Amino acid sequence: MAIRTIITEPNKLLRQISKPVNGVGKDEQKLMDDMLETMYDANGIGLAAIQVGVPKRIIVMDISKDETKKEPRYFVNPVIKNKDTEKATYEEGCLSVPNQFAEIDRPCKCEVEYLDYHGEKKLLKADGLLATCIQHEMDHLEGILFIDYLSKLKRSMIIKKLSKKKSTAAVL
Ligand code: ZN
């Protein structure tokens, strides 16, 4: 396993639509292993492949709070089958939008169909944080970030802040 670099906003790659993969083979498993290690290293609970610069429809997640009992989840070619009309609000952050947080409304339940780490077709009924996390990560596959749900003013303030940070880093 290897830790990969997480790309951050503003970056055109994050706006790219990811492509489905043909199946789960050694390459996809290696990518998922790397993504998981990268996510744990950055203290995140979810990561989409495009966040490490790979435009494939692959997501890893672990929402377990117990450090000693890891519960990694892998979603390959995920498709949302059903969404609840009822909404839930969570304060969201994103490894690609560092140190920024905002309350976002999303359907409180969803059903997702996907291939697992071994390429087996699965259907998961998710609610609570898991449902929010799946929808946040699936947005990444469409080139959407959580800040896109905010007002234009708020979003541009965040992007400005992040751009400033980047330019300072480049000068060093
Ligand atoms: Zn994210």
Side-chain angles (χ1 to χ4, degrees):
M1 286 202 266
I3 292 173
R4 303 203 185 192
T5 306
I6 297 173
I7 56 176
T8 56
E9 176 78 348
N11 187 313
K12 275 191 183 141
L13 267 177
L14 290 170
R15 300 307 185 171
Q16 200 168 316
I17 295 175
S18 296
K19 294 213 167 70
V21 298
N22 288 328
V24 183
K26 285 242 152 58
D27 288 349
E28 287 74 23
Q29 288 180 336
K30 166 89 174 68
L31 174 63
M32 287 190 269
D33 292 343
D34 285 357
M35 283 168 64
L36 197 72
E37 197 182 357
T38 306
M39 183 191 82
Y40 284 141
D41 180 67
N43 291 316
I45 57 170
L47 190 74
I50 193 64
Q51 293 180 273
V52 292
V54 181
K56 291 182 177 173
R57 300 184 85 82
I58 295 178
I59 291 164
V60 297
M61 227 179 269
D62 188 342
I63 60 160
S64 67
K65 295 211 173 73
D66 191 348
E67 280 276 322
T68 55
K69 228 175 82 198
K70 291 194 159 59
E71 283 172 34
R73 296 172 186 269
Y74 309 89
F75 300 87
V76 178
N77 296 344
V79 177
I80 288 189
K81 289 291 177 187
N82 259 312
K83 272 186 197 179
D84 213 287
T85 46
E86 207 181 309
K87 302 257 172 121
T89 309
Y90 274 93
E91 187 173 39
E92 295 188 22
C94 179
L95 293 175
S96 292
V97 190
N99 304 316
Q100 303 300 319
F101 303 92
E103 288 197 331
I104 307 291
D105 294 336
R106 296 184 190 270
C108 65
K109 289 178 193 165
C110 67
E111 259 180 61
V112 58
E113 199 179 81
Y114 60 98
L115 301 177
D116 69 7
Y117 188 83
H118 303 287
E120 276 173 49
K121 203 171 186 177
K122 293 274 167 74
L123 183 73
L124 176 73
K125 288 181 183 177
D127 59 12
L129 179 61
L130 182 60
T132 292
C133 196
I134 286 170
Q135 293 173 73
H136 173 117
E137 299 309 329
M138 286 189 63
D139 272 354
H140 278 300
L141 307 183
E142 306 301 327
I144 299 166
L145 299 173
F146 80 95
I147 52 171
D148 298 349
Y149 296 103
L150 305 174
S151 70
K152 217 175 163 189
L153 180 70
K154 223 170 175 182
R155 188 171 68 235
S156 60
M157 270 167 60
I158 288 176
I159 292 174
K160 217 179 197 177
K161 229 186 262 174
L162 295 171
S163 309
K164 261 189 202 158
K165 254 184 214 156
K166 264 191 191 172
S167 57
T168 318
V171 173
L172 294 171

